[in-house]
Amino acid sequence: KNSHKLQQYSTDIDKTVNVMKKLERSMDDIKTSMNNMDSENPLEDLGESSNKAESSIASVVNSITNLAGVSKTAAAAIATIFTSGIVSGAISYDKAIESLRINLGLTEKDAKSLYDQIKLIADDGYSLEGVTQATTLLQKRFKLSNQETKDLAQSMELLDKMGYDMNDTVRFMTSAVNDWGMTHREALDMIIAGEQEGLNISNDWLDSLVEYTPILSTLGIEAKDALALISEGVNATGLSSDQASDMIKEFFLSLTDGSDTSKDAFKDLGINIDNLKKQIDDGSITSIDALKKVSKAIMKVGDDTERARLLQEIFKGTVEYGSEGVIQAWANLDRKSVV
């Protein structure tokens, strides 16, 4: 569902169509027209050399002029379309094959076989170059079926158009699979969900996922809870996703570090830190429930100086982000918003 929404979104931004298919139609039109000019096809010999990417626009113009007897102006018009086909076709093909061989250590035969799969993906309207890059990264890191590779590569190519670096996307996918036990599809859907919820307003959503996923998962925070808390922090207060993630990290570090400072801060709020951790561990409450409980207790502290002290003890340096607004938002977080 998210993948479909993303494709629609990308289509709204980028109205381009499949360039390779258009060039193929242009090539057919040119050859048909030229065939009608003489009994011989003046593009036949030229086509053979062009398919090997050996002809420049200038040489194509000269060849068409000599063979067909047309003016250089007309020849130039034909050559421009024809050599565009070469650049997007033969040259890109050779470059793609060589890239696959180098990056994946494939034989030429295997590289061509993989390229055929990539071409099928790109034929659905996706950038050939983008899909090739995505497929190469997926093949390097994961063992996936052809269908999984196709689905992921298409989504990655669309995300790349929106500024989500493919290498960082694969880094997050790796962490999400290893640390959160997500599927590759679920990892991409989390990126997409964040984009849809406005978490990339500071252009740092993917960076935040790459940086904080290993940390938050180690602290026992599930992916869906992390997404809900970050989303609430960003949308309720205007924090960046990095700042919201940093605050969440500091809270759970204080909860689990075992220091007297942290224990005393929770005690001053009327909360037994050991009991709170035990409730999270046995599943009687979630990470969100814990943060919500503490946030409510902080916002009930009437003295401004005392409240500021407790915020500093629990959230450390992240209080500089203007944290009271997000603490209030987390205190009021509706569990229905956690998907």
Side-chain angles (χ1 to χ4, degrees):
K1 183 179 178 181
N2 279 333
S3 179
H4 177 67
K5 288 182 179 179
L6 177 61
Q7 188 166 352
Q8 288 182 322
Y9 183 29
S10 177
T11 301
D12 290 336
I13 321 173
D14 184 359
K15 296 290 186 181
T16 58
V17 294
N18 189 324
V19 177
M20 293 184 71
K21 288 183 178 179
K22 289 180 66 177
L23 288 170
E24 287 174 6
R25 289 195 295 270
S26 296
M27 288 285 294
D28 289 339
D29 291 342
I30 293 169
K31 289 180 180 179
T32 299
S33 297
M34 294 298 287
N35 273 325
N36 292 334
M37 294 174 65
D38 291 301
S39 58
E40 295 182 355
N41 181 3
L43 287 184
E44 184 176 350
D45 294 333
L46 179 60
E48 292 178 3
S49 60
S50 296
N51 286 334
K52 297 178 182 178
E54 294 174 349
S55 296
S56 64
I57 291 180
S59 65
V60 174
V61 170
N62 290 331
S63 296
I64 294 177
T65 302
N66 294 332
L67 288 172
V70 298
S71 68
K72 284 201 172 185
T73 302
I78 296 171
T80 299
I81 300 174
F82 188 77
T83 51
S84 293
I86 298 170
V87 171
S88 294
I91 292 177
S92 292
Y93 175 81
D94 292 339
K95 182 179 178 182
I97 295 299
E98 188 64 20
S99 176
L100 292 173
R101 291 184 65 186
I102 293 172
N103 284 290
L104 298 177
L106 301 176
T107 64
E108 184 174 0
K109 179 181 179 181
D110 290 339
K112 288 180 178 180
S113 176
L114 179 56
Y115 180 86
D116 288 340
Q117 296 177 33
I118 294 170
K119 182 66 169 58
L120 289 174
I121 300 172
D123 279 345
D124 287 341
Y126 298 83
S127 159
L128 180 61
E129 182 179 358
V131 170
T132 300
Q133 183 184 355
T135 302
T136 300
L137 291 170
L138 291 169
Q139 290 281 341
K140 275 185 175 181
R141 189 63 65 92
F142 312 118
K143 294 186 180 299
L144 303 169
S145 68
N146 289 343
Q147 186 60 48
E148 287 176 314
T149 299
K150 175 180 178 179
D151 293 341
L152 296 174
Q154 289 177 338
S155 292
M156 287 173 62
E157 195 271 332
L158 293 172
L159 284 167
D160 183 64
K161 289 182 180 178
M162 297 163 64
Y164 290 87
D165 179 76
M166 286 192 187
N167 287 286
D168 286 338
T169 296
V170 170
R171 288 175 63 197
F172 167 62
M173 288 170 65
T174 303
S175 183
V177 169
N178 293 337
D179 299 327
W180 270 329
M182 303 175 81
T183 65
H184 303 90
R185 178 74 263 167
E186 288 170 342
L188 275 186
D189 283 348
M190 187 169 181
I191 299 175
I192 296 167
E195 170 67 30
Q196 293 171 338
E197 293 181 24
L199 305 190
N200 200 40
I201 190 67
S202 300
N203 296 316
D204 63 352
W205 173 227
L206 184 54
D207 290 338
S208 298
L209 287 173
V210 171
E211 178 179 356
Y212 291 101
T213 294
I215 301 171
L216 298 182
S217 62
T218 299
L219 293 171
I221 306 169
E222 295 182 7
K224 69 178 188 302
D225 290 345
L227 177 61
L229 290 171
I230 295 169
S231 180
E232 190 69 19
V234 171
N235 291 305
T237 66
L239 292 180
S240 68
S241 62
D242 176 78
Q243 290 172 329
S245 301
D246 202 12
M247 290 190 69
I248 296 167
K249 177 199 72 176
E250 289 299 341
F251 171 80
F252 284 98
L253 283 175
S254 295
L255 180 62
T256 58
D257 65 12
S259 68
D260 290 337
T261 300
S262 296
K263 287 183 178 180
D264 290 343
F266 278 81
K267 183 178 179 180
D268 291 340
L269 289 170
I271 297 173
N272 184 299
I273 196 170
D274 292 323
N275 288 341
L276 189 62
K277 287 191 293 185
K278 183 179 178 181
Q279 288 178 308
I280 296 173
D281 291 339
D282 65 22
S284 50
I285 66 172
T286 66
S287 298
I288 285 186
D289 294 328
L291 181 50
K292 184 173 181 178
K293 180 176 183 178
V294 175
S295 296
K296 281 185 174 181
I298 291 175
M299 296 312 298
K300 287 180 180 178
V301 176
D303 183 80
D304 290 346
T305 302
E306 176 64 4
R307 188 167 63 253
R309 181 188 72 81
L310 292 170
L311 283 169
Q312 177 66 47
E313 297 291 354
I314 295 173
F315 290 93
K316 306 299 188 290
T318 61
V319 293
E320 297 176 359
Y321 302 148
S323 56
E324 282 204 20
V326 72
I327 299 303
Q328 184 66 64
W330 284 335
N332 298 329
L333 183 62
D334 186 352
R335 286 293 299 171
K336 292 180 180 178
S337 65
V338 183
V339 294

PDB file of all heavy atoms in Angstrom, residues 247-276:
ATOM      1  N   MET A 247      16.351  12.803  21.923  1.00  0.00           N
ATOM      2  CA  MET A 247      15.659  12.906  23.208  1.00  0.00           C
ATOM      3  C   MET A 247      15.157  11.538  23.677  1.00  0.00           C
ATOM      4  O   MET A 247      15.253  11.203  24.867  1.00  0.00           O
ATOM      5  CB  MET A 247      14.495  13.885  23.096  1.00  0.00           C
ATOM      6  CG  MET A 247      14.903  15.341  22.949  1.00  0.00           C
ATOM      7  SD  MET A 247      13.502  16.478  23.123  1.00  0.00           S
ATOM      8  CE  MET A 247      13.140  16.287  24.875  1.00  0.00           C
ATOM      9  N   ILE A 248      14.625  10.763  22.749  1.00  0.00           N
ATOM     10  CA  ILE A 248      14.152   9.418  23.093  1.00  0.00           C
ATOM     11  C   ILE A 248      15.323   8.566  23.586  1.00  0.00           C
ATOM     12  O   ILE A 248      15.221   7.849  24.590  1.00  0.00           O
ATOM     13  CB  ILE A 248      13.485   8.751  21.874  1.00  0.00           C
ATOM     14  CG1 ILE A 248      12.242   9.533  21.462  1.00  0.00           C
ATOM     15  CG2 ILE A 248      13.126   7.302  22.170  1.00  0.00           C
ATOM     16  CD1 ILE A 248      11.690   9.149  20.091  1.00  0.00           C
ATOM     17  N   LYS A 249      16.433   8.666  22.894  1.00  0.00           N
ATOM     18  CA  LYS A 249      17.636   7.922  23.282  1.00  0.00           C
ATOM     19  C   LYS A 249      18.064   8.277  24.707  1.00  0.00           C
ATOM     20  O   LYS A 249      18.323   7.385  25.529  1.00  0.00           O
ATOM     21  CB  LYS A 249      18.772   8.231  22.315  1.00  0.00           C
ATOM     22  CG  LYS A 249      20.100   7.561  22.664  1.00  0.00           C
ATOM     23  CD  LYS A 249      21.276   8.230  21.974  1.00  0.00           C
ATOM     24  CE  LYS A 249      21.572   9.591  22.602  1.00  0.00           C
ATOM     25  NZ  LYS A 249      22.771  10.237  22.017  1.00  0.00           N
ATOM     26  N   GLU A 250      18.131   9.584  25.009  1.00  0.00           N
ATOM     27  CA  GLU A 250      18.592  10.016  26.331  1.00  0.00           C
ATOM     28  C   GLU A 250      17.638   9.559  27.431  1.00  0.00           C
ATOM     29  O   GLU A 250      18.077   9.178  28.517  1.00  0.00           O
ATOM     30  CB  GLU A 250      18.743  11.538  26.365  1.00  0.00           C
ATOM     31  CG  GLU A 250      19.906  12.073  25.546  1.00  0.00           C
ATOM     32  CD  GLU A 250      21.262  11.547  26.020  1.00  0.00           C
ATOM     33  OE1 GLU A 250      21.377  11.065  27.173  1.00  0.00           O
ATOM     34  OE2 GLU A 250      22.211  11.607  25.222  1.00  0.00           O
ATOM     35  N   PHE A 251      16.338   9.575  27.151  1.00  0.00           N
ATOM     36  CA  PHE A 251      15.383   9.119  28.164  1.00  0.00           C
ATOM     37  C   PHE A 251      15.628   7.658  28.529  1.00  0.00           C
ATOM     38  O   PHE A 251      15.708   7.304  29.711  1.00  0.00           O
ATOM     39  CB  PHE A 251      13.948   9.280  27.663  1.00  0.00           C
ATOM     40  CG  PHE A 251      12.929   8.636  28.572  1.00  0.00           C
ATOM     41  CD1 PHE A 251      12.502   9.276  29.720  1.00  0.00           C
ATOM     42  CD2 PHE A 251      12.425   7.372  28.297  1.00  0.00           C
ATOM     43  CE1 PHE A 251      11.591   8.677  30.584  1.00  0.00           C
ATOM     44  CE2 PHE A 251      11.510   6.757  29.149  1.00  0.00           C
ATOM     45  CZ  PHE A 251      11.093   7.420  30.290  1.00  0.00           C
ATOM     46  N   PHE A 252      15.756   6.816  27.518  1.00  0.00           N
ATOM     47  CA  PHE A 252      15.908   5.389  27.802  1.00  0.00           C
ATOM     48  C   PHE A 252      17.301   5.035  28.314  1.00  0.00           C
ATOM     49  O   PHE A 252      17.464   4.034  29.000  1.00  0.00           O
ATOM     50  CB  PHE A 252      15.523   4.571  26.567  1.00  0.00           C
ATOM     51  CG  PHE A 252      14.033   4.506  26.358  1.00  0.00           C
ATOM     52  CD1 PHE A 252      13.403   5.365  25.466  1.00  0.00           C
ATOM     53  CD2 PHE A 252      13.250   3.628  27.091  1.00  0.00           C
ATOM     54  CE1 PHE A 252      12.031   5.335  25.293  1.00  0.00           C
ATOM     55  CE2 PHE A 252      11.873   3.585  26.928  1.00  0.00           C
ATOM     56  CZ  PHE A 252      11.259   4.440  26.031  1.00  0.00           C
ATOM     57  N   LEU A 253      18.287   5.859  27.995  1.00  0.00           N
ATOM     58  CA  LEU A 253      19.602   5.683  28.614  1.00  0.00           C
ATOM     59  C   LEU A 253      19.520   5.983  30.104  1.00  0.00           C
ATOM     60  O   LEU A 253      20.086   5.260  30.933  1.00  0.00           O
ATOM     61  CB  LEU A 253      20.643   6.588  27.950  1.00  0.00           C
ATOM     62  CG  LEU A 253      21.176   6.142  26.588  1.00  0.00           C
ATOM     63  CD1 LEU A 253      22.100   7.207  25.995  1.00  0.00           C
ATOM     64  CD2 LEU A 253      21.934   4.819  26.700  1.00  0.00           C
ATOM     65  N   SER A 254      18.808   7.044  30.470  1.00  0.00           N
ATOM     66  CA  SER A 254      18.632   7.382  31.887  1.00  0.00           C
ATOM     67  C   SER A 254      17.853   6.294  32.612  1.00  0.00           C
ATOM     68  O   SER A 254      18.128   5.980  33.779  1.00  0.00           O
ATOM     69  CB  SER A 254      17.892   8.722  32.025  1.00  0.00           C
ATOM     70  OG  SER A 254      18.657   9.779  31.501  1.00  0.00           O
ATOM     71  N   LEU A 255      16.901   5.715  31.907  1.00  0.00           N
ATOM     72  CA  LEU A 255      16.081   4.658  32.497  1.00  0.00           C
ATOM     73  C   LEU A 255      16.898   3.395  32.764  1.00  0.00           C
ATOM     74  O   LEU A 255      16.625   2.658  33.720  1.00  0.00           O
ATOM     75  CB  LEU A 255      14.905   4.337  31.569  1.00  0.00           C
ATOM     76  CG  LEU A 255      13.924   3.244  32.018  1.00  0.00           C
ATOM     77  CD1 LEU A 255      13.228   3.635  33.312  1.00  0.00           C
ATOM     78  CD2 LEU A 255      12.898   2.983  30.924  1.00  0.00           C
ATOM     79  N   THR A 256      17.904   3.156  31.954  1.00  0.00           N
ATOM     80  CA  THR A 256      18.622   1.876  32.033  1.00  0.00           C
ATOM     81  C   THR A 256      20.068   1.980  32.530  1.00  0.00           C
ATOM     82  O   THR A 256      20.709   0.954  32.708  1.00  0.00           O
ATOM     83  CB  THR A 256      18.648   1.205  30.637  1.00  0.00           C
ATOM     84  OG1 THR A 256      19.271   2.092  29.687  1.00  0.00           O
ATOM     85  CG2 THR A 256      17.239   0.880  30.161  1.00  0.00           C
ATOM     86  N   ASP A 257      20.580   3.204  32.763  1.00  0.00           N
ATOM     87  CA  ASP A 257      22.011   3.302  33.096  1.00  0.00           C
ATOM     88  C   ASP A 257      22.358   2.899  34.530  1.00  0.00           C
ATOM     89  O   ASP A 257      23.518   2.662  34.864  1.00  0.00           O
ATOM     90  CB  ASP A 257      22.549   4.710  32.799  1.00  0.00           C
ATOM     91  CG  ASP A 257      21.923   5.792  33.673  1.00  0.00           C
ATOM     92  OD1 ASP A 257      21.241   5.463  34.659  1.00  0.00           O
ATOM     93  OD2 ASP A 257      22.131   6.987  33.353  1.00  0.00           O
ATOM     94  N   GLY A 258      21.325   2.827  35.401  1.00  0.00           N
ATOM     95  CA  GLY A 258      21.560   2.368  36.764  1.00  0.00           C
ATOM     96  C   GLY A 258      22.258   3.368  37.667  1.00  0.00           C
ATOM     97  O   GLY A 258      22.641   3.031  38.805  1.00  0.00           O
ATOM     98  N   SER A 259      22.413   4.596  37.232  1.00  0.00           N
ATOM     99  CA  SER A 259      23.120   5.594  38.044  1.00  0.00           C
ATOM    100  C   SER A 259      22.221   6.133  39.153  1.00  0.00           C
ATOM    101  O   SER A 259      20.993   6.135  39.047  1.00  0.00           O
ATOM    102  CB  SER A 259      23.583   6.757  37.167  1.00  0.00           C
ATOM    103  OG  SER A 259      22.477   7.505  36.699  1.00  0.00           O
ATOM    104  N   ASP A 260      22.852   6.588  40.227  1.00  0.00           N
ATOM    105  CA  ASP A 260      22.087   7.168  41.340  1.00  0.00           C
ATOM    106  C   ASP A 260      21.373   8.442  40.898  1.00  0.00           C
ATOM    107  O   ASP A 260      20.268   8.728  41.357  1.00  0.00           O
ATOM    108  CB  ASP A 260      23.027   7.482  42.512  1.00  0.00           C
ATOM    109  CG  ASP A 260      23.556   6.213  43.188  1.00  0.00           C
ATOM    110  OD1 ASP A 260      22.888   5.160  43.062  1.00  0.00           O
ATOM    111  OD2 ASP A 260      24.620   6.285  43.821  1.00  0.00           O
ATOM    112  N   THR A 261      22.021   9.211  40.015  1.00  0.00           N
ATOM    113  CA  THR A 261      21.419  10.453  39.527  1.00  0.00           C
ATOM    114  C   THR A 261      20.085  10.170  38.849  1.00  0.00           C
ATOM    115  O   THR A 261      19.085  10.864  39.095  1.00  0.00           O
ATOM    116  CB  THR A 261      22.359  11.162  38.535  1.00  0.00           C
ATOM    117  OG1 THR A 261      23.587  11.468  39.187  1.00  0.00           O
ATOM    118  CG2 THR A 261      21.733  12.438  38.017  1.00  0.00           C
ATOM    119  N   SER A 262      20.069   9.148  38.003  1.00  0.00           N
ATOM    120  CA  SER A 262      18.838   8.801  37.292  1.00  0.00           C
ATOM    121  C   SER A 262      17.793   8.263  38.254  1.00  0.00           C
ATOM    122  O   SER A 262      16.606   8.642  38.188  1.00  0.00           O
ATOM    123  CB  SER A 262      19.129   7.759  36.211  1.00  0.00           C
ATOM    124  OG  SER A 262      19.984   8.285  35.222  1.00  0.00           O
ATOM    125  N   LYS A 263      18.213   7.388  39.164  1.00  0.00           N
ATOM    126  CA  LYS A 263      17.266   6.819  40.119  1.00  0.00           C
ATOM    127  C   LYS A 263      16.623   7.911  40.971  1.00  0.00           C
ATOM    128  O   LYS A 263      15.413   7.897  41.231  1.00  0.00           O
ATOM    129  CB  LYS A 263      17.968   5.805  41.018  1.00  0.00           C
ATOM    130  CG  LYS A 263      18.322   4.495  40.327  1.00  0.00           C
ATOM    131  CD  LYS A 263      18.962   3.508  41.300  1.00  0.00           C
ATOM    132  CE  LYS A 263      19.267   2.182  40.609  1.00  0.00           C
ATOM    133  NZ  LYS A 263      19.896   1.207  41.558  1.00  0.00           N
ATOM    134  N   ASP A 264      17.446   8.869  41.409  1.00  0.00           N
ATOM    135  CA  ASP A 264      16.933   9.947  42.254  1.00  0.00           C
ATOM    136  C   ASP A 264      15.956  10.834  41.489  1.00  0.00           C
ATOM    137  O   ASP A 264      14.940  11.285  42.039  1.00  0.00           O
ATOM    138  CB  ASP A 264      18.090  10.792  42.787  1.00  0.00           C
ATOM    139  CG  ASP A 264      18.934  10.046  43.824  1.00  0.00           C
ATOM    140  OD1 ASP A 264      18.441   9.033  44.353  1.00  0.00           O
ATOM    141  OD2 ASP A 264      20.072  10.476  44.083  1.00  0.00           O
ATOM    142  N   ALA A 265      16.252  11.088  40.202  1.00  0.00           N
ATOM    143  CA  ALA A 265      15.371  11.925  39.391  1.00  0.00           C
ATOM    144  C   ALA A 265      14.004  11.268  39.236  1.00  0.00           C
ATOM    145  O   ALA A 265      12.963  11.921  39.386  1.00  0.00           O
ATOM    146  CB  ALA A 265      16.000  12.180  38.031  1.00  0.00           C
ATOM    147  N   PHE A 266      13.986   9.972  38.969  1.00  0.00           N
ATOM    148  CA  PHE A 266      12.719   9.253  38.834  1.00  0.00           C
ATOM    149  C   PHE A 266      11.999   9.188  40.187  1.00  0.00           C
ATOM    150  O   PHE A 266      10.770   9.313  40.255  1.00  0.00           O
ATOM    151  CB  PHE A 266      12.963   7.846  38.293  1.00  0.00           C
ATOM    152  CG  PHE A 266      13.125   7.780  36.799  1.00  0.00           C
ATOM    153  CD1 PHE A 266      14.336   8.094  36.198  1.00  0.00           C
ATOM    154  CD2 PHE A 266      12.068   7.415  35.974  1.00  0.00           C
ATOM    155  CE1 PHE A 266      14.492   8.041  34.824  1.00  0.00           C
ATOM    156  CE2 PHE A 266      12.209   7.362  34.596  1.00  0.00           C
ATOM    157  CZ  PHE A 266      13.427   7.683  34.014  1.00  0.00           C
ATOM    158  N   LYS A 267      12.786   9.026  41.251  1.00  0.00           N
ATOM    159  CA  LYS A 267      12.193   8.960  42.590  1.00  0.00           C
ATOM    160  C   LYS A 267      11.512  10.270  42.948  1.00  0.00           C
ATOM    161  O   LYS A 267      10.423  10.290  43.550  1.00  0.00           O
ATOM    162  CB  LYS A 267      13.283   8.649  43.622  1.00  0.00           C
ATOM    163  CG  LYS A 267      12.766   8.478  45.045  1.00  0.00           C
ATOM    164  CD  LYS A 267      13.910   8.127  45.984  1.00  0.00           C
ATOM    165  CE  LYS A 267      13.396   7.973  47.427  1.00  0.00           C
ATOM    166  NZ  LYS A 267      14.517   7.636  48.364  1.00  0.00           N
ATOM    167  N   ASP A 268      12.144  11.386  42.564  1.00  0.00           N
ATOM    168  CA  ASP A 268      11.560  12.701  42.835  1.00  0.00           C
ATOM    169  C   ASP A 268      10.243  12.903  42.084  1.00  0.00           C
ATOM    170  O   ASP A 268       9.444  13.779  42.440  1.00  0.00           O
ATOM    171  CB  ASP A 268      12.546  13.801  42.451  1.00  0.00           C
ATOM    172  CG  ASP A 268      13.750  13.851  43.381  1.00  0.00           C
ATOM    173  OD1 ASP A 268      13.661  13.311  44.510  1.00  0.00           O
ATOM    174  OD2 ASP A 268      14.796  14.415  42.983  1.00  0.00           O
ATOM    175  N   LEU A 269      10.047  12.118  41.059  1.00  0.00           N
ATOM    176  CA  LEU A 269       8.791  12.160  40.297  1.00  0.00           C
ATOM    177  C   LEU A 269       7.765  11.174  40.847  1.00  0.00           C
ATOM    178  O   LEU A 269       6.658  11.050  40.317  1.00  0.00           O
ATOM    179  CB  LEU A 269       9.046  11.848  38.822  1.00  0.00           C
ATOM    180  CG  LEU A 269       9.768  12.917  38.004  1.00  0.00           C
ATOM    181  CD1 LEU A 269      10.157  12.367  36.637  1.00  0.00           C
ATOM    182  CD2 LEU A 269       8.904  14.163  37.857  1.00  0.00           C
ATOM    183  N   GLY A 270       8.172  10.439  41.896  1.00  0.00           N
ATOM    184  CA  GLY A 270       7.280   9.448  42.484  1.00  0.00           C
ATOM    185  C   GLY A 270       7.253   8.143  41.717  1.00  0.00           C
ATOM    186  O   GLY A 270       6.289   7.377  41.799  1.00  0.00           O
ATOM    187  N   ILE A 271       8.319   7.879  40.957  1.00  0.00           N
ATOM    188  CA  ILE A 271       8.376   6.674  40.124  1.00  0.00           C
ATOM    189  C   ILE A 271       9.571   5.820  40.533  1.00  0.00           C
ATOM    190  O   ILE A 271      10.706   6.315  40.624  1.00  0.00           O
ATOM    191  CB  ILE A 271       8.495   7.044  38.632  1.00  0.00           C
ATOM    192  CG1 ILE A 271       7.245   7.823  38.184  1.00  0.00           C
ATOM    193  CG2 ILE A 271       8.683   5.786  37.770  1.00  0.00           C
ATOM    194  CD1 ILE A 271       7.347   8.366  36.771  1.00  0.00           C
ATOM    195  N   ASN A 272       9.323   4.542  40.782  1.00  0.00           N
ATOM    196  CA  ASN A 272      10.401   3.598  41.092  1.00  0.00           C
ATOM    197  C   ASN A 272      10.988   3.095  39.777  1.00  0.00           C
ATOM    198  O   ASN A 272      10.301   2.394  39.019  1.00  0.00           O
ATOM    199  CB  ASN A 272       9.870   2.436  41.929  1.00  0.00           C
ATOM    200  CG  ASN A 272      10.977   1.483  42.358  1.00  0.00           C
ATOM    201  OD1 ASN A 272      11.653   0.888  41.526  1.00  0.00           O
ATOM    202  ND2 ASN A 272      11.157   1.346  43.666  1.00  0.00           N
ATOM    203  N   ILE A 273      12.221   3.469  39.523  1.00  0.00           N
ATOM    204  CA  ILE A 273      12.822   3.174  38.226  1.00  0.00           C
ATOM    205  C   ILE A 273      12.951   1.671  37.970  1.00  0.00           C
ATOM    206  O   ILE A 273      12.780   1.203  36.838  1.00  0.00           O
ATOM    207  CB  ILE A 273      14.197   3.884  38.107  1.00  0.00           C
ATOM    208  CG1 ILE A 273      14.651   3.925  36.636  1.00  0.00           C
ATOM    209  CG2 ILE A 273      15.245   3.224  38.983  1.00  0.00           C
ATOM    210  CD1 ILE A 273      15.865   4.811  36.401  1.00  0.00           C
ATOM    211  N   ASP A 274      13.247   0.904  39.023  1.00  0.00           N
ATOM    212  CA  ASP A 274      13.405  -0.543  38.849  1.00  0.00           C
ATOM    213  C   ASP A 274      12.078  -1.206  38.506  1.00  0.00           C
ATOM    214  O   ASP A 274      12.025  -2.120  37.668  1.00  0.00           O
ATOM    215  CB  ASP A 274      13.995  -1.168  40.121  1.00  0.00           C
ATOM    216  CG  ASP A 274      15.437  -0.730  40.364  1.00  0.00           C
ATOM    217  OD1 ASP A 274      16.177  -0.583  39.365  1.00  0.00           O
ATOM    218  OD2 ASP A 274      15.820  -0.517  41.529  1.00  0.00           O
ATOM    219  N   ASN A 275      11.006  -0.749  39.156  1.00  0.00           N
ATOM    220  CA  ASN A 275       9.674  -1.297  38.848  1.00  0.00           C
ATOM    221  C   ASN A 275       9.257  -0.954  37.424  1.00  0.00           C
ATOM    222  O   ASN A 275       8.647  -1.774  36.720  1.00  0.00           O
ATOM    223  CB  ASN A 275       8.636  -0.769  39.840  1.00  0.00           C
ATOM    224  CG  ASN A 275       8.789  -1.379  41.223  1.00  0.00           C
ATOM    225  OD1 ASN A 275       9.421  -2.425  41.380  1.00  0.00           O
ATOM    226  ND2 ASN A 275       8.218  -0.721  42.233  1.00  0.00           N
ATOM    227  N   LEU A 276       9.610   0.262  37.002  1.00  0.00           N
ATOM    228  CA  LEU A 276       9.250   0.689  35.651  1.00  0.00           C
ATOM    229  C   LEU A 276       9.965  -0.169  34.606  1.00  0.00           C
ATOM    230  O   LEU A 276       9.353  -0.603  33.621  1.00  0.00           O
ATOM    231  CB  LEU A 276       9.608   2.166  35.463  1.00  0.00           C
ATOM    232  CG  LEU A 276       9.098   2.835  34.176  1.00  0.00           C
ATOM    233  CD1 LEU A 276       7.574   2.833  34.142  1.00  0.00           C
ATOM    234  CD2 LEU A 276       9.627   4.262  34.070  1.00  0.00           C
TER     235      LEU A 276
END
